[in-house]
Amino acid sequence: RRHCHDMVPSVERGLLPVAAAGFVGVLAGVAATRYLCGPRDACSCSCAVSGNGGNGGRDLAARANCAIVTTSQAAPAQGHYSQAIVNGNECFVSGLLPIRPNGKKLATRPFAEQVVQVLANLEAVLSAAGTGFDHLISVRVYITSVDDWPEFNKIYSETIGTHEPARAVVPVPELHYGFKLELEAIAAIPR
């Protein structure tokens, strides 16, 4: 039998298991999760997938084969969502707003400063999931003014580098808290 250590590199990534089939939630324990088992019968070991020893909720996590990504290096999730979810070798990053890791909202700050913070949050979440900018697959950005598109594109390309993932920039009338942009992404996780 394969052990969950064989399925996900043994690096602490701040992952917490979730369950599917109509229930999504963080299992007991806030310690970083090291491993996530695959299908129910794929692992015979007793890894502590939620940081609390024993089975650690592996039965629930195995149903979804997903993990929640959390990091204190990016803005905390402030609602009923996760910073990101890892499923297989893909990381799905939730909409990131220009909020500092300490929770300070930058809604009144200039657009460029908001972009820099959102991209810093993206980098932190991707790093916590074991990936980075060079593995981005798709990026969707919501901006409140098309006039900000060129400035966003300049900062984005300087930060992301030569890698060019699929991308959409979507003008919207307004965003929560009066922010000027929000960004969500999908990235591959190198194995």
Side-chain angles (χ1 to χ4, degrees):
R1 289 186 165 193
R2 289 173 41 188
H3 291 277
C4 53
H5 326 80
D6 300 326
M7 301 176 77
V8 177
S10 59
V11 176
E12 295 257 348
R13 292 193 178 154
L15 305 178
L16 294 174
V18 298
F23 172 80
V24 178
V26 177
L27 297 176
V30 293
T33 298
R34 295 188 306 154
Y35 308 112
L36 178 65
C37 295
R40 216 177 252 265
D41 61 348
C43 182
S44 61
C45 63
S46 58
C47 298
V49 295
S50 66
N52 65 348
N55 179 300
R58 187 174 63 244
D59 291 341
L60 291 174
R63 286 185 222 151
N65 200 22
C66 292
I68 293 174
V69 178
T70 60
T71 178
S72 61
Q73 302 303 307
Q78 297 183 349
H80 191 69
Y81 66 96
S82 307
Q83 289 172 320
I85 294 285
V86 169
N87 185 0
N89 68 341
E90 292 181 318
C91 177
F92 299 85
V93 181
S94 294
L96 299 172
L97 294 166
I99 302 174
R100 292 200 174 120
N102 66 6
K104 182 178 180 184
K105 296 173 177 70
L106 304 181
T108 60
R109 304 301 302 156
F111 181 75
E113 188 174 338
Q114 291 190 36
V115 173
V116 168
Q117 185 61 58
V118 164
L119 293 173
N121 288 342
L122 176 61
E123 184 174 32
V125 171
L126 292 175
S127 178
T131 189
F133 289 147
D134 55 336
H135 296 286
L136 282 168
I137 296 169
S138 178
V139 176
R140 183 172 297 126
V141 184
Y142 304 94
I143 58 174
T144 57
S145 172
V146 292
D147 295 336
D148 290 328
W149 192 326
E151 187 173 19
F152 170 79
N153 199 54
K154 179 182 183 299
I155 297 167
Y156 174 85
S157 62
E158 289 170 354
T159 304
I160 300 297
T162 59
H163 179 62
E164 295 179 336
R167 187 184 84 184
V169 178
V170 182
V172 296
E174 63 182 303
L175 290 166
H176 200 46
Y177 301 116
F179 291 121
K180 298 176 181 177
L181 83 149
E182 182 172 357
L183 181 147
E184 62 181 329
I186 301 170
I189 299 176
R191 299 278 185 210

